[in-house]
């Protein structure tokens, strides 16, 4: 219980800190592969099927540790909610929107989905749908994306699944 309280306090302290980003050019595909490798064992244990459609040359100037935290949180959340044999689809590509270049990164699962009420509360601090959750992971993830000048959207349908889409500004789509 003490570890859990320490975790909550540390997450709250991160929320209160101003952005101190250490920006460098990274390959999005490589970063996502690193995160998937970190989660390989729990994903394998639940026989979760991972499908990917990722531009191998998609690059961004970001704080790689913070973006890794976002990807880890979203993929881990999907893994935790899925039944044995569920699936996660990850896509990443460059798009143009309002004459600006963005990286569009989507993490979608075929889990139980969210009700409209749950969806509305999703980015509220301390709101969680997990038994052992503290309700800060998505709040912090959304803040990290905002710090990078991006946005995160969620689409979900009860009994169909949930999809998180991240849009991050990009000067170019190549490495």
């Amino acid at each position: 219980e003490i570890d859990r309280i320490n975790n909550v306090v540390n997450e709250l302290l991160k929320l209160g800190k101003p952005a101190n980003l250490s920006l460098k050019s990274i390959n999005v595909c490589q970063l996502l592969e690193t995160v998937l490798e970190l989660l390989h064992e729990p994903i394998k244990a639940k026989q979760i099927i991972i499908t990917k459609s990722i531009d191998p040359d998609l690059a961004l100037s970001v704080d790689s540790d913070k973006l890794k935290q976002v990807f880890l949180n979203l993929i881990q959340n999907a893994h935790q909610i899925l039944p044995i044999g569920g699936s996660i689809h990850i896509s990443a590509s460059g798009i143009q929107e309002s004459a600006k270049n963005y990286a569009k990164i989507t993490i979608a699962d075929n889990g139980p989905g969210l009700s409209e009420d749950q969806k509305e509360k999703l980015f509220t601090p301390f709101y969680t749908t997990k038994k052992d959750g503290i309700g800060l992971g998505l709040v912090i993830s959304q803040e990290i994306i905002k710090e990078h000048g991006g946005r995160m959207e969620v689409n979900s349908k009860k009994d169909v699944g949930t999809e998180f889409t991240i849009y991050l500004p990009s000067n170019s789509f190549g490495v």
Side-chain angles (χ1 to χ4, degrees):
E1 188 62 27
I2 290 172
D3 287 340
R4 185 173 153 79
I5 292 168
N6 279 336
N7 190 23
V8 170
V9 170
N10 285 332
E11 295 300 317
L12 282 172
L13 290 173
K14 286 180 196 174
L15 266 179
K17 281 186 180 177
N20 187 15
L21 301 176
S22 177
L23 301 178
K24 63 181 178 183
S25 183
I26 60 110
N27 179 287
V28 175
C29 183
Q30 289 173 355
L31 186 61
L32 284 164
E33 290 295 341
T34 299
V35 170
L36 287 171
E37 185 58 36
L38 290 171
L39 295 171
H40 175 75
E41 288 304 317
I43 286 172
K44 182 180 170 187
K46 280 181 86 172
Q47 302 168 14
I48 291 172
I49 299 160
I50 302 286
T51 57
K52 300 175 274 190
S53 175
I54 302 170
D55 178 345
D57 297 323
L58 184 62
L60 289 170
S61 181
V62 295
D63 186 315
S64 62
D65 288 337
K66 289 191 177 205
L67 193 56
K68 184 193 295 183
Q69 181 182 352
V70 172
F71 292 160
L72 188 61
N73 184 55
L74 293 176
I75 296 169
Q76 193 169 29
N77 282 353
H79 155 265
Q80 290 171 345
I81 200 71
L82 285 172
I84 290 173
S87 67
I88 299 172
H89 180 72
I90 302 168
S91 65
S93 62
I95 65 163
Q96 258 200 337
E97 185 179 275
S98 303
K100 293 182 182 177
N101 292 333
Y102 289 89
K104 178 183 177 184
I105 303 141
T106 302
I107 298 168
D109 67 59
N110 68 341
L114 300 165
S115 69
E116 282 303 313
D117 184 53
Q118 289 173 317
K119 193 173 147 185
E120 286 177 23
K121 295 177 185 174
L122 211 51
F123 296 104
T124 303
F126 303 109
Y127 175 76
T128 183
T129 59
K130 295 189 272 185
K131 180 183 171 222
D132 294 325
I134 57 172
L136 292 175
L138 288 175
V139 175
I140 290 169
S141 293
Q142 185 179 50
E143 190 60 33
I144 289 169
I145 297 304
K146 284 181 181 176
E147 288 170 357
H148 283 85
R151 70 182 193 275
M152 183 163 48
E153 298 174 355
V154 61
N155 287 305
S156 186
K157 286 192 175 184
K158 199 80 173 137
D159 302 321
V160 174
T162 302
E163 176 181 279
F164 285 89
T165 304
I166 297 166
Y167 296 89
L168 289 168
S170 173
N171 292 334
S172 68
F173 298 140
V175 176

